[in-house]
Amino acid sequence: MAIPVYVVTGFLDAGKTTFLNNLLNKYSWRDVRAFVIQFESGEEEFQGRHLNCYKLSVPKKILEQRPEQIVERICSSIEEQPFDEIWIEWNGVVPFSELQSLLLHPSLRGLCQIQKVVHIADGENIENLLGRTGASLPEQIANSDFVVMRNVDSAVTYRRIRRLVNGLNPGVPLYKVKEYQELYKQLFGKKEHPVNLFLLMVIAMSALYFMAKPVLEGAQIPVNTIVNVFLGIILQAVPFLLIGVLLSSAIQVFIPQSFIERRFPKSIGMGMLVAILGGFCLPVCDCASIPVFRSLVRRGIPLPVAVTFMTATPVINPVVIVSTYYAFSGNTGIVVGRIFFGIVAAVLIGLTMGFWPPKGSVLAGGAFDRLLCSCGCYDDVESITTFKGKAGLFIRHSQAEFFGVGKYLVMGSFIAALFQVMGTGLFTKAQDGAGLAVSILIMMVMAFVLSLCSSSDAIIARSLANQFPMGAIMGFLVFGPMMDIKNVLMLSSGFSKAFIVRLLLTSLSICFVLVFLFFNWGGM
């Protein structure tokens, strides 16, 4: 079993050694054999007050010129003493990726693995340092599991620094240096595996169903109908989600970054054309396009191109085209209209991301999210060269991503089932006497809350064709596959809230304007 590695990062004199002294000596009762490796020495020296602590100091010059020597020294130390954990005080001006490469050396790969990364920051000078230290400090913050702040005297300063840190690593926990009990839980608490979390959620929902069923049936709520619709949505979505997850993992594991940089079109226009063609060729729905979308962003594909792919694919893929054709009894006008509006809307949504790029990172893991695997480990995909190693990483990626995204799919599907059974009547009543603009908005909102699979939403749209004008039906068919409740929840597993909100509002606005203008001017 690999030895867990805890990394402490931060700029010079941020208080890394002080933090280690206080934390390790405060919890020396844990009775563990700790190996402390210091890649930087400041004013304070590490003081291991208990006998089970061994220290190794590595000068920056050795790190830069003879990394192989460091690997040999670490390996020999581990062979001499079977350590329970390794603590690394990383150099504040050296990129985190160099430590990652060091620990992924063939001699160390099986011996140790990064468990947690904590960044120590001085509240008095972090803003100045971020502007003067290049990419090293932002990268360290972006790859931290949580951040510990020193010299934060006021609530105003704390909030300002929290906004600054969250800009680099959205959602990262922020603690004050004296909160040792909470830090202890964060450092040594075990993180639940995505499979376990998924199973716990399923068990909890099942228990809630059996407990609440008698009460709900007494209130004349059609529980069985809701459950049947919920299971129907899940059964429709899971195969496509699995396809998307496998394709996403294959992109991350088997396609090198260098290949994408060489082969992918350099211009945004050509990239969008490739994205549209990919949408026509891939028989996947919206559930599958989101994992692929994240992989494309992580692999460095321009955001406008990746967004175009994600929004176009569930509207124009072959399965959707065929299902729309049969649902509307061979009406090619509706099929062509759906394809046309889907492509135009997707391109416009993508272009907005190019002309007005989102501020900060769109990925929830921070600006340097590509250094981390989607399964949460710190493996460097590029360093794994054997097929066996890549196959193992592919399986691990697929499993973690499927169950990680799957829990959001389950929650979104349940909410959608409630609306399908109990809320559809509200939308049809709101349509009475409404004009074209209101009708389009009603149907687009209905598409969002019903969260239908894009491969079968045309059937529902056809059933509503006698109650809503064709413009509203087209808004339903175009916007629904791009954005709905389950899509938003699935996006939240990998993207920042600000980006998701912007993508939702942009998609809604563009789809509405396109459809309204066309049908208001007498189209179809």
Side-chain angles (χ1 to χ4, degrees):
M1 183 177 177
I3 303 171
V5 177
Y6 299 92
V7 182
V8 181
T9 65
F11 201 71
L12 184 66
D13 294 331
K16 299 188 294 293
T17 307
T18 303
F19 173 80
L20 282 173
N21 279 332
N22 290 336
L23 188 71
L24 293 183
N25 290 319
K26 185 178 182 67
Y27 293 102
S28 59
W29 52 266
R30 290 190 302 126
D31 192 27
V32 295
R33 294 181 296 275
F35 183 19
V36 178
I37 307 173
Q38 290 184 292
F39 287 90
E40 183 177 72
S41 56
E43 296 180 358
E44 184 172 348
E45 294 185 2
F46 176 74
Q47 300 170 352
R49 297 173 190 168
H50 53 99
L51 299 177
N52 291 335
C53 191
Y54 177 78
K55 186 185 80 168
L56 171 65
S57 296
V58 180
K60 184 182 177 185
K61 186 176 181 180
I62 300 296
L63 175 62
E64 293 174 341
Q65 298 179 1
R66 296 195 295 274
E68 291 286 341
Q69 181 178 329
I70 301 172
V71 172
E72 292 176 4
R73 184 71 183 276
I74 294 174
C75 289
S76 62
S77 299
I78 293 175
E79 290 175 0
E80 292 173 4
Q81 301 187 45
F83 296 108
D84 297 307
E85 59 191 34
I86 298 174
W87 289 81
I88 294 179
E89 181 180 337
W90 188 239
N91 192 295
V93 296
V94 179
F96 181 81
S97 54
E98 292 195 21
L99 172 62
Q100 186 185 37
S101 300
L102 192 71
L103 295 180
L104 288 171
H105 188 279
S107 300
L108 286 175
R109 175 183 291 277
L111 292 178
C112 56
Q113 185 177 30
I114 295 178
Q115 192 76 16
K116 293 286 176 66
V117 180
V118 53
H119 182 81
I120 312 297
D122 190 332
E124 293 181 347
N125 59 17
I126 183 174
E127 293 171 292
N128 293 329
L129 289 174
L130 283 172
R132 296 189 290 109
T133 56
S136 297
L137 192 57
E139 182 184 3
Q140 291 180 10
I141 295 175
N143 285 285
S144 299
D145 291 295
F146 59 96
V147 175
V148 177
M149 296 301 306
R150 294 174 58 242
N151 299 325
V152 181
D153 300 325
S154 66
V156 175
T157 303
Y158 177 82
R159 287 194 295 269
R160 187 178 71 251
I161 294 174
R162 183 175 61 184
R163 286 194 297 269
L164 183 68
V165 169
N166 283 337
L168 296 168
N169 191 342
V172 65
L174 190 66
Y175 299 102
K176 295 180 181 179
V177 73
K178 294 183 179 180
E179 297 174 334
Y180 285 110
Q181 289 187 348
E182 191 61 35
L183 293 174
Y184 178 83
K185 293 178 184 178
Q186 288 290 330
L187 279 169
F188 305 113
K190 292 185 177 179
K191 186 177 180 180
E192 287 292 337
H193 194 277
V195 177
N196 297 337
L197 291 174
F198 181 83
L199 293 176
L200 284 173
M201 185 186 67
V202 172
I203 293 171
M205 291 184 68
S206 301
L208 181 63
Y209 164 72
F210 286 111
M211 288 188 295
K213 183 179 179 181
V215 178
L216 296 176
E217 287 180 340
Q220 297 185 339
I221 295 176
V223 179
N224 290 333
T225 305
I226 294 173
V227 171
N228 290 336
V229 173
F230 166 71
L231 293 176
I233 296 173
I234 291 293
L235 291 175
Q236 277 188 323
V238 165
F240 291 104
L241 175 62
L242 182 59
I243 293 172
V245 164
L246 293 176
L247 184 58
S248 166
S249 299
I251 291 172
Q252 291 188 62
V253 175
F254 293 109
I255 301 180
Q257 180 72 31
S258 57
F259 177 85
I260 294 177
E261 292 173 352
R262 288 196 315 269
R263 301 293 183 182
F264 201 83
K266 298 295 187 290
S267 69
I268 298 296
M270 287 300 297
M272 286 184 168
L273 179 60
V274 172
I276 296 296
L277 292 175
F280 270 118
C281 298
L282 294 175
V284 296
C285 72
D286 47 336
C287 302
S289 64
I290 291 174
V292 178
F293 169 55
R294 188 184 184 205
S295 290
L296 294 175
V297 175
R298 288 169 60 89
R299 277 305 194 186
I301 298 299
L303 184 62
V305 176
V307 167
T308 300
F309 173 84
M310 189 202 76
T311 51
T313 298
V315 185
I316 65 173
N317 74 72
V319 175
V320 171
I321 293 173
V322 172
S323 66
T324 305
Y325 179 82
Y326 281 105
F328 286 90
S329 304
N331 189 329
T332 55
I334 294 177
V335 176
V336 172
R338 187 176 196 181
I339 295 172
F340 170 76
F341 285 114
I343 293 175
V344 174
V347 170
L348 291 177
I349 295 167
L351 288 175
T352 63
M353 299 294 172
F355 287 115
W356 299 281
K359 295 181 180 179
S361 172
V362 300
L363 292 165
F368 294 85
D369 181 77
R370 276 181 285 162
L371 289 173
L372 304 179
C373 291
S374 64
C375 55
C377 68
Y378 289 83
D379 284 341
D380 183 4
V381 176
E382 306 292 341
S383 68
I384 301 175
T385 56
T386 64
F387 178 79
K388 182 179 179 181
K390 285 187 177 292
L393 189 58
F394 171 77
I395 294 172
R396 194 160 73 247
H397 268 275
S398 301
Q399 182 192 61
E401 192 158 15
F402 179 82
F403 287 102
V405 177
K407 63 178 181 286
Y408 295 98
L409 173 64
V410 171
M411 289 187 288
S413 299
F414 179 71
I415 296 171
L418 289 176
F419 276 103
Q420 285 191 39
V421 175
M422 305 179 65
T424 307
L426 298 175
F427 293 106
T428 54
K429 289 180 181 178
Q431 153 65 16
D432 295 340
L436 177 62
V438 175
S439 297
I440 294 174
L441 282 175
I442 289 173
M443 284 295 282
M444 291 174 71
V445 173
M446 186 188 298
F448 179 80
V449 298
L450 294 184
S451 301
L452 299 168
C453 182
S454 62
S455 60
S456 60
D457 61 350
I459 298 172
I460 303 299
R462 178 68 182 86
S463 67
L464 297 170
N466 294 328
Q467 303 175 52
F468 289 86
M470 186 51 63
I473 298 297
M474 190 58 66
F476 181 93
L477 292 172
V478 175
F479 176 69
M482 294 182 181
M483 281 286 135
D484 58 33
I485 290 175
K486 71 176 187 299
N487 289 356
V488 169
L489 288 173
M490 290 170 68
L491 283 168
S492 67
S493 68
F495 292 88
S496 66
K497 293 179 181 178
F499 171 72
I500 296 172
V501 171
R502 175 179 168 177
L503 182 61
L504 172 61
L505 296 179
T506 302
S507 302
L508 177 67
S509 303
I510 288 176
C511 290
F512 172 77
V513 170
L514 281 176
V515 173
F516 175 75
L517 290 178
F518 181 82
F519 283 90
N520 192 49
W521 290 342
M524 295 182 71

